[in-house]
Amino acid sequence: MAKQRDGEGRPPGMTDVARIAGVSAQTVSRVLSGHPNVQEKTRAKVLAAVEQLGYRRNNAARMLSSGRSRAIGVVTLQTNFYSRAAVTSGIEHAAQAAGYTVSTATTTSLDTSAIEAALSRLADQGVEGVVLSVPLAHSSERIEQFTRAVPTITIDGSRTDATEVVAVDQALAARLATR
């Protein structure tokens, strides 16, 4: 649990970590970003200060300073099917390995307006890319505009003018399964 700043009632910030570690805020940023040009002794002091204070990175502040959210959005259909959970789990695993978070927008309908609403929720979160994991029977101008503005891939064979498709080679899968 994060400790509170003395008398200010808010969680510790990067400057607090820097003060405790006896380094600059830039050095704290480098340590937390995994920058290689930090001496191990300095890295250890910063990490000890992070632990002591219970410091947690503020992703909103990081997004404001870098202009990047490091987030990928996934639009999925609400279902209890295992395959959907497996797809989302795979996306989350790959995103985490690449230093991204995943934000999921679930829709209960394949209606174009429901998919537009899900994409709008992800756009409001500033995602840098989207995986459209719903069968897209029909596109709309709003969906087309979104996929032109935000890098988007689709699965399930759906596509828009601006998306790339990720698909399973069903013929190969059938051959391998029958061997």
Side-chain angles (χ1 to χ4, degrees):
M1 177 179 252
K3 294 183 180 181
Q4 299 293 314
R5 279 191 180 178
D6 294 338
E8 293 184 31
R10 59 183 178 166
M14 196 177 292
T15 55
D16 299 312
V17 173
R19 182 177 37 77
I20 297 292
V23 298
S24 69
Q26 184 177 14
T27 299
V28 173
S29 177
R30 284 184 180 141
V31 169
L32 297 177
S33 298
H35 196 281
N37 294 340
V38 179
Q39 293 179 358
E40 281 308 311
K41 180 179 174 183
T42 302
R43 186 179 310 279
K45 285 190 331 186
V46 169
L47 294 176
V50 164
E51 181 69 24
Q52 176 186 339
L53 292 171
Y55 172 76
R56 301 209 25 119
R57 292 175 90 164
N58 182 328
N59 285 332
R62 194 164 86 177
M63 184 178 167
L64 286 172
S65 67
S66 70
R68 299 198 54 205
S69 67
R70 306 286 302 167
I72 296 170
V74 178
V75 177
T76 189
L77 182 64
Q78 182 178 354
T79 179
N80 293 328
F81 294 139
Y82 171 76
S83 62
R84 290 282 172 215
V87 167
T88 303
S89 177
I91 293 167
E92 287 178 346
H93 180 75
Q96 183 179 23
Y100 283 78
T101 60
V102 174
S103 183
T104 304
T106 304
T107 179
T108 58
S109 163
L110 295 177
D111 183 70
T112 304
S113 62
I115 295 170
E116 289 172 355
L119 290 171
S120 179
R121 289 192 307 272
L122 294 173
D124 289 346
Q125 295 174 34
V127 297
E128 294 183 28
V130 168
V131 177
L132 194 54
S133 180
V134 293
L136 188 59
H138 303 286
S139 189
S140 69
E141 184 56 35
R142 286 183 63 199
I143 292 172
E144 292 292 338
Q145 287 173 344
F146 180 90
T147 61
R148 281 192 295 272
V150 178
T152 305
I153 62 165
T154 61
I155 50 182
D156 289 331
S158 302
R159 84 168 294 142
T160 68
D161 290 341
T163 58
E164 295 293 329
V165 176
V166 176
V168 174
D169 184 338
Q170 299 291 348
L172 175 61
R175 281 195 302 276
L176 292 172
T178 56
R179 282 191 190 152

